[in-house]
Amino acid sequence: MSTPHIAAEPGDFAPAVLMPGDPKRAQRIAETILDSPRLVTDVRGMLGFTGTVDGQPLSVMGSGMGQPSATIYVTELMKFFDVHRVIRVGTCGGISPKVHVGDTIVAIGAHTDSAMNQLRIPGVNFSAVASFNLARAAVEAATEDDTVHVGTIISRDHFYFAPDGQTQRLADYGVLGVDMEAAAMYGVAAECGREALTVLTCSDHLLDSSSDMTAQERETQFETTLRLAVAAALS
Ligand code: HPA
């Protein structure tokens, strides 16, 4: 069976899928954490793998960058491949002064400047929220690690543009960071009656460029992000 963007057979995907933006990262994650990973789709180079973790099936697939791309893949996974849980594992820009480069964010809600969720229910500002059960499982796995933050992010459409003063205003409202996919994924999960969560490593800080880390430090913290995402996926 094929959808426009996924060529796989029914049953090729596990009920839970980890979704980094970058398909090459999906491959690295699959090769690192899955037992017996197999490639299940590669349309447009958007690689998807399925294997097991401790005997439980788990898939890993790229989402691409931005809310339209993420929406296409999550919609097809949930509507045509019976995927019940999507956990985005990615990077974000830091916004809150509490968040440092290398820290992990569990995004329980995602503000957005995108119109994608605005179109869903006429006259309604849709609340893009994570699955409570998935968020709880991720937070429980963090066990009081003070480099793990739980709160809201913003999913922006622009990477290189923001209205003057908007980032500072978001910081004033306690927004932890910025990505480009979470809000749309939460919208698709709501549409499909399924579950979604986003767990992010802060790769740079929009309001504090002094807090850079080494590549080694970033990789170590990505391990925390991945560990929390896997705990949520298999909970
Ligand atoms: N926006 C801005 N900076 C970032 C992002 C983003 O989506 N991701 C990582 N750094």
Side-chain angles (χ1 to χ4, degrees), residues 91-94 156 158-159 178-180 203-204 206:
T91 55
C92 68
R156 277 181 174 151
H158 280 277
F159 186 91
V178 50
D179 85 341
M180 302 185 74
S203 61
D204 50 82
L206 272 58

Side-chain angles (χ1 to χ4, degrees), residues 4-213:
H5 307 92
I6 299 174
E9 296 305 318
D12 271 349
F13 284 94
V17 182
L18 300 186
M19 296 196 86
D22 176 358
K24 289 285 188 197
R25 179 161 266 188
Q27 180 164 22
R28 283 199 298 278
I29 292 171
E31 288 168 353
T32 308
I33 66 167
L34 296 183
D35 292 324
S36 315
R38 67 188 175 92
L39 182 70
V40 293
T41 183
D42 64 357
V43 178
R44 291 177 180 241
M46 197 55 76
L47 309 175
F49 301 84
T50 296
T52 57
V53 172
D54 298 332
Q56 283 187 261
L58 184 65
S59 296
V60 188
M61 183 175 173
S63 69
M65 285 181 283
Q67 302 192 60
S69 179
T71 295
I72 288 170
Y73 292 110
V74 178
T75 299
E76 291 184 11
L77 288 171
M78 289 185 169
K79 288 197 173 169
F80 304 108
F81 292 96
D82 208 24
V83 167
H84 283 247
R85 296 180 157 180
V86 163
I87 296 93
R88 165 163 158 68
V89 274
T91 55
C92 68
I95 290 183
S96 164
K98 292 182 191 159
V99 173
H100 302 286
V101 171
D103 287 0
T104 293
I105 292 173
V106 179
I108 55 173
H111 308 286
T112 187
D113 55 13
S114 165
M116 293 191 80
N117 286 334
Q118 202 179 319
L119 297 172
R120 290 188 172 279
I121 307 172
V124 168
N125 290 325
F126 182 86
S127 291
V129 293
S131 151
F132 176 72
N133 284 335
L134 294 186
R136 179 170 53 188
V139 173
E140 277 175 5
T143 56
E144 308 203 0
D145 179 339
D146 63 8
T147 67
V148 177
H149 309 269
V150 183
T152 62
I153 61 167
I154 179 166
S155 299
R156 277 181 174 151
D157 278 344
H158 280 277
F159 186 91
Y160 290 111
F161 168 81
D164 282 348
Q166 189 193 73
T167 303
Q168 183 58 55
R169 186 66 72 92
L170 288 163
D172 295 343
Y173 276 74
V175 175
L176 299 173
V178 50
D179 85 341
M180 302 185 74
E181 294 82 17
M185 288 178 159
Y186 293 171
V188 177
E191 177 190 351
C192 297
R194 305 278 162 91
E195 298 179 287
L197 176 67
T198 294
V199 190
L200 302 167
T201 304
C202 176
S203 61
D204 50 82
H205 202 290
L206 272 58
L207 297 175
D208 174 13
S209 53
S210 68
S211 62
D212 266 11
M213 309 178 78

